[in-house]
Amino acid sequence: MAWAITGSGHFLKESLELARRLPDVDLFLSRAGEEILSMYDIKLTDLRQQFRIFRDNTASSAPVGLFYHGEYHSVVLAPATSNTVAKCALGISDSLPTNIFAQAGKCRLPAIVFACDTEPEVATESPSEWVTLYPREVDLMHARTLATFSNVQVVGSPQALEHAIQAHLAQLALSPPAAG
Ligand SMILES: Cc1cc2nc3c(=O)[nH]c(=O)nc-3n(C[C@H](O)[C@H](O)[C@H](O)COP(=O)(O)O)c2cc1C
């Protein structure tokens, strides 16, 4: 599974905790995602113990080539900033997470997006304290737009994310082999 981490503090720890419980996850970081991990005291060296990690350090998002070799059965963006959600909804691919989302669509792979902004009011954890934020209508609109994409599921809580991933993995295990 290809899993993108964007620059969101909102449910960052919960998303990573879920990723840790899954086998064979590769992490794809946005540049902001890499900064945020450090702000929340999560070290890349520790993550590398479990995950293969791709950093956003090429203009062409070179690691997306892995999608052409059938390395992944699905893509998860969790947590997904309002910035990344907006770009995905508009078809813009200019970061590693937005590129793997686009490749999922072009390779007809399912994508699950844990959007930070799906409710008009959210309690979120900054590096130092809890704060209440009020996502704008434009943020909510992009999340709604993304939910209309085929093969894309948008979720708004860690519980819904876990449920969506569980259901997806169960479905994969039950799928009969493709006809030869
Ligand atoms: C401490 C911190 C926490 C942040 N948390 C969020 C968040 O929860 N949701 C969000 O949409 N943006 C958040 N941001 C802002 C994003 O990191 C910023 O919009 C960035 O450009 C997103 O880039 P990306 O979508 O490519 O990862 C946060 C920024 C900081 C410094």
Side-chain angles (χ1 to χ4, degrees):
M1 181 179 282
W3 187 303
I5 303 276
T6 67
S8 160
H10 192 51
F11 288 127
L12 172 66
K13 287 178 182 160
E14 291 81 354
S15 297
L16 266 175
E17 193 265 322
L18 177 55
R20 281 184 209 277
R21 286 193 273 125
L22 295 166
D24 301 324
V25 172
D26 285 351
L27 296 183
F28 293 74
L29 311 180
S30 70
R31 291 175 60 209
E34 188 168 342
E35 287 180 9
I36 293 292
L37 284 172
S38 146
M39 287 179 205
Y40 286 79
D41 219 16
I42 299 166
K43 295 185 176 48
L44 281 194
T45 45
D46 291 341
L47 292 177
R48 281 206 174 92
Q49 308 279 328
Q50 177 172 357
F51 305 105
R52 184 160 66 151
I53 295 185
F54 296 99
R55 299 171 60 217
D56 204 347
N57 52 14
T58 60
S60 57
S61 287
V64 298
L66 294 167
F67 281 80
Y68 308 139
H69 304 297
E71 292 235 3
Y72 303 109
H73 55 65
S74 47
V75 165
V76 172
L77 271 60
T81 59
S82 49
N83 175 60
T84 288
V85 168
K87 288 199 266 192
C88 290
L90 294 170
I92 295 170
S93 325
D94 66 351
S95 66
L96 208 40
T98 52
N99 267 292
I100 70 167
F101 179 80
Q103 289 309 316
K106 292 177 186 182
C107 297
R108 297 197 170 154
L109 300 177
I112 299 170
V113 181
F114 180 9
C116 294
D117 296 334
T118 55
E119 299 293 333
E121 182 175 329
V122 291
T124 189
E125 191 179 5
S126 82
S128 52
E129 64 202 318
W130 280 86
V131 289
T132 301
L133 296 177
Y134 305 93
R136 303 162 301 172
E137 178 51 32
V138 68
D139 302 319
L140 302 173
M141 183 184 74
H142 285 136
R144 285 196 299 269
T145 301
L146 209 53
T148 67
F149 282 30
S150 61
N151 244 356
V152 173
Q153 197 175 348
V154 176
V155 297
S157 70
Q159 295 77 16
L161 175 64
E162 180 162 359
H163 187 259
I165 289 175
Q166 271 172 358
H168 172 58
L169 293 178
Q171 198 180 16
L172 279 181
L174 289 173
S175 296

